[in-house]
Amino acid sequence: MPAVAEYCLVGIDWWPLCMTKAEWSGWVQAIFSVVAIAATGIYIYWQHKMELARSRGDDASRRLRRLDSIVELTFANSLFVRYVALQFKDRQSIDDVREGRAGLDVSEIDDLGNFTASIPLHDLDDAVVVRRVLLATQNARAARNMVRRAMRDFRGLSANSFTNIAATVNECARQCEESYKVLDQRATDYAQQEGLERAIKQHTTNPQTAAVNGK
């Protein structure tokens, strides 16, 4: 029986590198099978990684939009509290509000704190955001309660008592403004961290200035 011809790799006549056509064919098929399996695994891995990155990007965008909404609500909250605080310049201004002679309607006072109270805190996973939203709501409601007390006890309100009430309302307004600033910076930092652009522009003025200008 004639010997089966062998073919040596790169012409080196050494038995590990010399095989028949059938043997070489088997080796080539095996190598291509391994390469194909490896390529498929790599493709699936990168595809999964890209999907995770895309999902993370979508989650980050949703989170930023939610933060921007919270920022807008806290800005509106601080603006309203500051506006109310500005209406009570002296004892006479309390009576002006009570009798409808001021720009502030009595029924509007009841809305103090409602802006931020509408934010669903159970959906938030940032402790700083939750704390600041709670503080903004609590300070707005504290201002509301002080204004209600001033209007209820107007006739028996001493000058010293009015001064204390006015100081408390102004401090509540300042705390609401501080909460807005912290949340606004929080949203900016998150946008930079994720390489995103905020949907809203930062306010060029602070709530106190806006309230004074009636904006």
Side-chain angles (χ1 to χ4, degrees):
M1 182 176 178
V4 179
E6 291 187 343
Y7 300 87
C8 300
L9 185 65
V10 296
I12 300 175
D13 189 8
W14 184 42
W15 70 267
L17 301 179
C18 298
M19 290 181 285
T20 65
K21 281 186 177 182
E23 290 172 333
W24 276 118
S25 177
W27 270 105
V28 170
Q29 288 180 6
I31 291 171
F32 272 108
S33 296
V34 172
V35 170
I37 292 171
T40 301
I42 292 172
Y43 172 76
I44 292 173
Y45 168 76
W46 282 109
Q47 187 179 44
H48 180 62
K49 193 170 183 179
M50 289 175 65
E51 288 175 355
L52 285 177
R54 186 162 48 247
S55 176
R56 173 178 167 77
D58 291 343
D59 289 344
S61 295
R62 283 194 294 270
R63 181 185 176 90
L64 182 58
R65 285 196 298 271
R66 183 167 58 184
L67 271 174
D68 276 339
S69 297
I70 292 171
V71 168
E72 285 297 281
L73 286 169
T74 52
F75 180 78
N77 179 72
S78 58
L79 182 63
F80 190 30
V81 177
R82 177 56 68 184
Y83 176 73
V84 170
L86 290 171
Q87 303 307 304
F88 294 91
K89 302 178 289 294
D90 49 39
R91 288 184 74 258
Q92 182 58 45
S93 61
I94 299 176
D95 193 43
D96 290 340
V97 173
R98 291 173 68 250
E99 299 299 327
R101 295 191 297 267
L104 178 66
D105 191 274
V106 175
S107 62
E108 292 180 300
I109 296 173
D110 292 333
D111 291 330
L112 283 169
N114 289 347
F115 288 107
T116 48
S118 65
I119 298 172
L121 297 181
H122 61 276
D123 287 341
L124 305 178
D125 57 0
D126 187 325
V128 173
V129 175
V130 171
R131 184 164 60 250
R132 281 297 171 176
V133 170
L134 284 172
L135 283 172
T137 304
Q138 289 169 359
N139 278 287
R141 287 176 172 173
R144 178 190 65 191
N145 293 339
M146 294 303 290
V147 170
R148 282 175 173 173
R149 175 189 164 192
M151 295 176 66
R152 184 188 68 235
D153 302 337
F154 166 70
R155 300 194 182 284
L157 201 64
S158 67
N160 188 55
S161 294
F162 170 79
T163 300
N164 291 336
I165 289 174
T168 300
V169 174
N170 274 286
E171 176 60 18
C172 289
R174 190 191 70 78
Q175 289 289 341
C176 288
E177 289 158 7
E178 181 64 22
S179 290
Y180 154 70
K181 292 174 185 176
V182 170
L183 291 170
D184 189 52
Q185 187 60 50
R186 195 78 171 174
T188 297
D189 292 344
Y190 183 74
Q192 292 175 348
Q193 172 189 320
E194 297 296 333
L196 299 171
E197 186 174 348
R198 293 184 64 183
I200 62 171
K201 293 183 178 180
Q202 289 177 288
H203 295 282
T204 56
T205 184
N206 62 46
Q208 181 171 1
T209 304
V212 171
N213 295 334
K215 295 182 180 178

